[in-house]
Amino acid sequence: MDQTSTISRSNQRNRRYRGALALLGDPMPKYEYNPELLQQSSTFLRKRTARNRVSTGQEAIVQPEKEFYDTSRSEWTLIFVGDPTNRNSLRCRPLLVDFVQRHTEQCQCIYLTNREGTDALVLAEGTGFYVVEWSHPNRSALIQFLAVTRVPSVIVVENRSGRRITDWGMEAIDARSDSAGGTKEMFEAWRRRGSGLPLCSALTTACTLS
């Protein structure tokens, strides 16, 4: 099948969705899930951050093939806004990777880069995530549409409608994913377009913001 046919089918599929997902019509790099590579990159990032040094961006990073994002493969898209120089981004990454790997029918993840250059892509290695690179034509529009205000953050988008559900996805996953019951309650909350946060966490968050 030729590339023109593939692109045509992808464009038809993307027109069925609204909101943030309509901005993801162009092919994106898809990093394969690789636990060994994930551990290696995590070690590298922790050491570099501990030295309080920003990389020159010259590390050898294998660039994957670009693929069209298929929203039909899952119920939600988790958009991970991270920065390789941010300690909380490094803490969130393995938790998010593990969660997505355990719930592939419910969730796919897209890493939205917050930094220019290949240095930012180290955060994607071994994760199994798609990547919205700095050069993606709709990157700025996506950030504005999602109203990104925090790094790191995980924004939950409903694939069927393209609607933004919550930007507290990482906090909900961190609080709920220890048990099957907690994860089920979180998914049900997302279906009701709630944050998925437990009541105690939601109250703490509200107090913090006020």
Side-chain angles (χ1 to χ4, degrees):
M1 186 172 295
D2 61 29
Q3 185 177 12
T4 302
S5 299
T6 303
I7 292 173
S8 177
R9 287 205 323 276
S10 176
N11 289 339
Q12 291 173 3
R13 181 177 63 241
N14 279 304
R15 281 198 292 269
R16 295 203 299 266
Y17 295 92
R18 298 179 178 179
L21 301 179
L23 298 171
L24 300 176
D26 291 329
M28 297 181 291
K30 172 65 161 56
Y31 285 75
E32 295 299 321
Y33 174 62
N34 185 324
E36 183 177 351
L37 185 57
L38 181 69
Q39 180 60 43
Q40 290 174 358
S41 61
S42 294
T43 301
F44 166 77
L45 288 166
R46 285 196 303 270
K47 288 181 177 179
R48 189 197 59 192
T49 303
R51 291 195 298 268
N52 194 28
R53 176 176 64 85
V54 176
S55 171
T56 61
Q58 299 301 314
E59 290 80 10
I61 297 176
V62 178
Q63 297 285 348
E65 294 293 325
K66 292 186 177 183
E67 300 180 11
F68 286 102
Y69 184 65
D70 187 354
T71 56
S72 68
R73 293 179 181 174
S74 62
E75 191 170 354
W76 296 284
T77 295
L78 308 181
I79 298 180
F80 171 45
V81 186
D83 190 308
T85 65
N86 179 279
R87 290 180 182 273
N88 285 332
S89 294
L90 305 188
R91 186 187 71 84
C92 290
R93 188 178 74 143
L95 297 175
L96 186 58
V97 172
D98 179 69
F99 177 80
V100 172
Q101 287 300 313
R102 287 189 288 113
H103 302 285
T104 55
E105 293 185 1
Q106 289 80 20
C107 301
Q108 298 179 82
C109 189
I110 297 174
Y111 163 45
L112 178 57
T113 57
N114 193 51
R115 182 176 292 273
E116 187 174 10
T118 58
D119 182 58
L121 301 181
V122 180
L123 207 58
E125 287 191 318
T127 60
F129 296 169
Y130 289 85
V131 177
V132 175
E133 298 177 290
W134 188 270
S135 59
H136 192 285
N138 292 330
R139 178 185 169 277
S140 296
L142 186 61
I143 289 175
Q144 292 177 6
F145 187 92
L146 295 172
V148 176
T149 58
R150 297 178 292 116
V151 177
S153 59
V154 173
I155 300 165
V156 181
V157 176
E158 183 185 62
N159 285 353
R160 184 177 58 182
S161 65
R163 180 174 296 186
R164 176 180 179 274
I165 302 299
T166 180
D167 61 355
W168 295 101
M170 191 66 246
E171 290 78 6
I173 291 170
D174 197 13
R176 293 275 199 181
S177 62
D178 286 344
S179 66
T183 300
K184 182 178 179 180
E185 290 177 1
M186 181 181 67
F187 287 157
E188 289 300 323
W190 288 353
R191 292 184 182 107
R192 298 191 302 271
R193 294 172 179 160
S195 69
L197 285 168
L199 179 60
C200 58
S201 297
L203 290 173
T204 302
T205 300
C207 292
T208 301
L209 291 176
S210 62

